[in-house]
Amino acid sequence: MARTICISMEFHVRQHTEAPCRVLWPFPSQCYATFRCMNREDIAMLRYGACYYPEHWTAEQARQHIPLMQKAGINVVRMGEFAWCKFEPEPGRYKFDWIDPIIDALGKAGIATVLGTPTAIPPNWAYSRQPNILQKNAEGHVRNPGARCHCCKNAPGYQFMCEGIVQEMARHYKDNPSVIGWQVDNEFGCHNTTRCYCEHCEKAFREWLIAKYGDIEALNAAWGTSFWGFDFRQWNEIPLPRTMPAGPNPAHWLDFVRFSSDTQVKFMKTQYDLIKGICPKHFVTHNFMGCFPEIDYYKLSQHLDFPVWDNYPDSFGDPFHPSYAHEITRSFKGRFWVMEEKSGPTGDAEAGLLGEQPEPGEIRRWAWQAVANGADGVLYFRWRVCLFGAEQYWHGILDHDGIPRRRYAEVRKTAEEFVKAAPDLEGTQVEVRIALIRHFDALWSFERQPGVAGFHYDGHCFEMYRAVKQNGHNCDIINVDSDFARYRVVIAPSLSLVDDALAKRLHAFADAGGTLVFTPQSGVRTPANAMWDRTRPGPLAPLVGATVDEVRPYYHGQTNEIAFTQGALAGQTCNVGTWVEMLHAAGAETVAEFRDEAFAGKPAITCNTVGKGKVYYLGVFLPEKILKAFLAGVLPEFPMKDIPEGVEVTMRRGKQGRIVFVINNTRERQTLTLPGQFPDLLSGETVGPKVTLARNGVLILKA
Ligand SMILES: [Zn+2]
């Protein structure tokens, strides 16, 4: 039996019930009331593969590639997403014989195919047949062809062509046994192309506004057009917020970026419906870009079977960044793949620079980090770096000469480890008790109006996430309409756009025993992006049990000292900056207060008891170490203490029990203490309580 078959593992349809577990890992199983099993019948295997571009190679080279892939343990490739000009070399003449023999040969080698719909780049004949399909930027300049992502998704001519090629490909491959699924297009919005300012978009934006507001006076009222004389009499007077002498109306801006996001969602839905209508057994996905801020991925995820994302970690960056994006992507549907995992130096198409070379052990660690955070598939980008084109520096597993070297050996070794661990990973899912709300409306609102220099909404969300992770917990990244009851703690960083309905749902969560954590600038805006006329934090004030007396944006490095008055941090002091809010407790207890003479004694952090739950309001941004310690007192107990900085602990759980991943993301050896002794699936040895992980070391413990 080929290696690629050995590596596979069947997932079975799971019952939506709490599975019993052996409680060797010291958590009572009832802690995980939020645990949920997913139906996995459409993901038949743990996938391990690479992105492959047969159009870059001769038939002879491709024939040589396939046995090497097989030897590396690869069981899936993604192909075709930029090859429209090969699939339809002339208008209406479709051609598949350049790739079909490759798909068949891969299939015979046990390697399945995911096809990309090639709509990110139309053939060059398209521009003369379908005029006016190119995007325009905010200055009104055309985004020219020659690269990718330059067509307007609201241009009828482009939409017509896209539907044609997608239908034709779906019909051709619907019964091909090697094709298992589809990736629609590629990285929507890449190269700053989410927002288009062309005439098609202006027309579509007005239609979007008519559907939303119905009446022009309702729009005038919602946008506050009485400011700077912006009243509209008719829909066709409404412009796109193109470059203008001063900042746009915030409501106009927010509706435009919502519309631009919805444009991508609609484009996705069209292709999803077309493919599913013809190939109902194939999965359909799209490759997200982690924390990409311009598209509401919650909405986009409604029109795909499960999301995938493209992971290019920075060797010297924060090791929790990839985990954050893994958890963001997992949270949309409870499962995900990494469709592009860095496997060599990157090669930026614009700067022309060769990126960092992964150090020995990093490719393996990144693959396990993805699985540890819930991935059911990891594909490397890419099989072999191409010899030409804007990304001729962007490396893959193989270099330009195609000779397998140490990166290939590492991919192969990791495949062997996947085989070892696969039976125990079967049917497991990441255990989560904590959620963090990442709200796209807030993200977009702060993009225009951060309130103070140095505040970045997504950066703040990541700081809060990181502190959760440093305390050992996994964390779902959720939307405001998610089911809060699945979690013990919900953290809502700078949740600025809040209405009474959302405040009521959050109140019900706390009342039932949940813990909420809010941070500065919460509850200040209406859903239209106007300011509330209520005292901050607006609709959240009754829940928080405190109001904001005064806000102080800090510039020039100014800080203020606060002192904790209760809890584990009582007596500790720290300096806070960027933005502070002087609070007034109205029922809540003071947890920390300002020390600065002018505001001495004013609450900086409060805690309100609501029913069976607690609601914290942080009027300040805490320094990293203090934030970690503060959250340690808010989050549920975690059985491992003093986890070294940069070491990651995650858990997946299934009917067989728990699998605990311990990953050393640092460049030094790390020693830590486990809460007992556990068998390590990779080495076969029993380890603990004290363990030392080498640089890039990974333990996969059966608990
Ligand atoms: Zn457009």
Side-chain angles (χ1 to χ4, degrees):
M1 186 181 283
R3 179 189 307 280
T4 46
I5 303 302
C6 296
I7 196 175
S8 69
M9 62 184 197
E10 293 295 321
F11 286 104
H12 303 290
V13 178
R14 297 275 169 206
Q15 299 297 313
H16 290 252
T17 55
E18 186 78 355
C21 64
R22 294 176 300 136
V23 190
L24 293 176
W25 195 257
F27 268 146
S29 61
Q30 61 268 28
C31 283
Y32 294 93
T34 62
F35 177 71
R36 61 204 187 283
C37 292
M38 303 299 293
N39 179 340
R40 292 170 175 269
E41 60 189 346
D42 54 348
I43 307 176
M45 304 166 74
L46 179 63
R47 294 291 180 179
Y48 191 73
C51 303
Y52 187 47
Y53 297 88
E55 65 269 32
H56 297 169
W57 308 105
T58 65
E60 178 53 31
Q61 285 169 319
R63 267 193 294 279
Q64 292 167 4
H65 288 155
I66 293 171
L68 273 179
M69 288 183 188
Q70 196 177 23
K71 206 170 157 189
I74 280 172
N75 63 25
V76 64
V77 293
R78 183 202 65 187
M79 299 191 288
E81 78 275 13
F82 298 122
W84 192 344
C85 66
K86 305 286 185 200
F87 286 118
E88 192 179 1
E90 293 173 40
R93 185 170 72 82
Y94 299 98
K95 199 168 183 308
F96 299 99
D97 58 3
W98 65 276
I99 193 172
D100 283 354
I102 308 285
I103 293 174
D104 291 345
L106 286 163
K108 283 180 185 141
I111 301 171
T113 291
V114 175
L115 283 168
T117 69
T119 47
I121 312 169
N124 281 323
W125 50 255
Y127 311 110
S128 53
R129 286 181 69 89
Q130 300 288 353
N132 304 323
I133 62 172
L134 296 174
Q135 289 197 351
K136 286 185 180 172
N137 66 16
E139 285 78 37
H141 299 143
V142 169
R143 289 179 176 141
N144 293 306
R148 58 182 181 177
C149 314
H150 43 264
C151 286
C152 174
K153 293 186 174 66
N154 283 311
Y158 175 61
Q159 291 169 342
F160 174 77
M161 287 177 48
C162 289
E163 288 169 26
I165 184 66
V166 170
Q167 269 179 332
E168 208 59 41
M169 286 180 70
R171 284 185 193 126
H172 184 78
Y173 289 108
K174 68 183 168 68
D175 296 319
N176 188 312
S178 294
V179 175
I180 58 169
W182 299 78
Q183 173 191 295
V184 168
D185 205 277
N186 182 76
E187 296 179 342
F188 289 147
C190 193
H191 314 302
N192 299 315
T193 57
T194 308
R195 297 165 193 167
C196 173
Y197 298 79
C198 79
E199 295 73 15
H200 300 299
C201 286
E202 192 157 60
K203 180 169 177 284
F205 181 47
R206 289 168 184 159
E207 288 163 2
W208 186 92
L209 292 170
I210 291 168
K212 177 170 181 176
Y213 293 101
D215 178 72
I216 195 80
E217 288 308 328
L219 178 142
N220 283 329
W223 284 13
T225 51
S226 57
F227 182 80
W228 279 356
F230 204 40
D231 285 345
F232 298 105
R233 293 172 306 126
Q234 297 174 38
W235 298 102
N236 63 10
E237 292 173 350
I238 300 173
L240 297 178
R242 297 184 175 91
T243 303
M244 57 187 84
N249 175 312
H252 181 195
W253 157 265
L254 182 57
D255 269 345
F256 173 66
V257 298
R258 284 168 170 157
F259 154 78
S260 300
S261 171
D262 282 359
T263 293
Q264 316 300 316
V265 173
K266 192 174 161 192
F267 190 77
M268 177 76 211
K269 182 180 186 310
T270 300
Q271 291 202 25
Y272 178 85
D273 290 346
L274 278 173
I275 296 168
K276 286 302 238 189
I278 298 168
C279 314
K281 290 181 182 168
H282 293 170
F283 68 78
V284 179
T285 186
H286 174 73
N287 53 335
F288 293 8
M289 293 187 285
C291 308
F292 184 65
E294 294 179 5
I295 300 171
D296 185 339
Y297 281 161
Y298 298 104
K299 277 190 175 178
L300 196 69
S301 296
Q302 291 168 8
H303 307 293
L304 44 78
D305 294 310
F306 62 93
V308 300
W309 84 282
D310 298 345
N311 182 26
Y312 293 96
D314 179 352
S315 293
F316 292 88
D318 192 314
F320 288 123
H321 264 137
S323 303
Y324 182 48
H326 288 317
E327 300 214 63
I328 284 176
T329 313
R330 185 196 65 235
S331 300
F332 299 127
K333 291 268 185 177
R335 62 202 196 210
F336 73 102
W337 290 6
V338 175
M339 191 60 103
E340 298 180 11
E341 182 94 49
K342 179 174 169 177
S343 64
T346 52
D348 188 277
E350 282 162 44
L353 301 174
L354 192 65
E356 289 167 357
Q357 176 78 259
E359 69 163 280
E362 274 192 326
I363 293 172
R364 167 182 176 264
R365 171 167 63 80
W366 291 329
W368 279 122
Q369 188 182 34
V371 175
N373 284 288
D376 292 325
V378 176
L379 283 77
Y380 296 103
F381 189 88
R382 50 189 149 168
W383 170 246
R384 179 176 172 183
V385 57
C386 60
L387 306 178
F388 36 71
E391 289 188 348
Q392 62 196 34
Y393 269 1
W394 204 300
H395 283 62
I397 299 167
L398 300 184
D399 295 321
H400 291 106
D401 59 10
I403 295 173
R405 294 194 171 85
R406 63 128 179 130
R407 297 199 307 273
Y408 175 88
E410 193 170 319
V411 166
R412 186 177 170 184
K413 180 192 171 191
T414 308
E416 289 167 1
E417 291 182 345
F418 269 47
V419 173
K420 264 192 204 170
D424 289 288
L425 284 170
E426 179 185 347
T428 60
Q429 278 218 303
V430 174
E431 291 190 318
V432 187
R433 296 183 289 174
I434 320 297
L436 182 145
I437 296 176
R438 179 173 179 257
H439 188 206
F440 275 91
D441 278 353
L443 196 162
W444 293 330
S445 172
F446 283 123
E447 180 186 335
R448 279 296 320 155
Q449 295 184 309
V452 64
F455 175 72
H456 186 274
Y457 174 78
D458 233 355
H460 178 46
C461 286
F462 177 68
E463 282 168 3
M464 299 300 287
Y465 167 81
R466 198 178 193 290
V468 173
K469 199 78 174 169
Q470 284 175 311
N471 277 293
H473 295 276
N474 276 95
C475 183
D476 275 355
I477 314 298
I478 62 171
N479 199 7
V480 288
D481 56 9
S482 299
D483 178 11
F484 305 138
R486 297 208 313 245
Y487 306 100
R488 294 270 300 275
V489 178
V490 172
I491 298 170
S494 300
L495 184 63
S496 58
L497 281 76
V498 177
D499 61 10
D500 289 318
L502 175 56
K504 193 175 167 189
R505 289 180 52 239
L506 290 163
H507 200 289
F509 168 70
D511 201 40
T515 299
L516 283 165
V517 180
F518 296 106
T519 64
Q521 303 212 56
S522 289
V524 298
R525 288 169 186 258
T526 70
N529 208 18
M531 307 304 290
W532 277 115
D533 57 359
R534 309 181 204 174
T535 306
R536 292 170 181 246
L540 297 174
L543 175 61
V544 167
T547 53
V548 178
D549 256 4
E550 181 171 326
V551 299
R552 296 180 71 81
Y554 278 171
Y555 294 93
H556 313 296
Q558 189 184 355
T559 59
N560 203 324
E561 189 181 46
I562 65 166
F564 285 84
T565 54
Q566 60 167 278
L569 289 172
Q572 283 215 35
T573 61
C574 65
N575 286 327
V576 292
T578 307
W579 173 285
V580 300
E581 297 179 355
M582 313 297 174
L583 306 181
H584 168 75
E589 293 177 27
T590 299
V591 175
E593 62 185 25
F594 290 98
R595 293 280 289 268
D596 181 278
E597 192 177 327
F599 303 98
K602 278 273 185 194
I605 299 174
T606 57
C607 176
N608 197 28
T609 301
V610 176
K612 297 177 188 166
K614 299 271 185 200
V615 180
Y616 292 89
Y617 189 90
L618 281 65
V620 295
F621 298 113
L622 292 174
E624 184 183 338
K625 282 187 179 164
I626 298 288
L627 178 62
K628 178 188 170 188
F630 173 76
L631 283 185
V634 171
L635 301 173
E637 275 286 310
F638 193 78
M640 282 173 65
K641 303 293 177 199
D642 302 321
I643 300 168
E645 174 67 30
V647 172
E648 183 169 4
V649 181
T650 77
M651 283 183 274
R652 292 182 66 146
R653 183 180 164 204
K655 278 191 172 173
Q656 309 299 319
R658 292 195 175 95
I659 303 296
V660 179
F661 295 78
V662 185
I663 300 175
N664 181 5
N665 293 312
T666 75
R667 293 180 166 258
E668 295 84 35
R669 296 167 79 87
Q670 297 288 353
T671 300
L672 65 158
T673 306
L674 304 173
Q677 290 193 313
F678 305 94
D680 173 25
L681 295 179
L682 298 184
S683 67
E685 296 170 2
T686 297
V687 299
K690 187 153 270 193
V691 290
T692 298
L693 279 89
R695 175 172 169 161
N696 291 312
V698 177
L699 290 174
I700 305 181
L701 308 174
K702 201 167 177 179

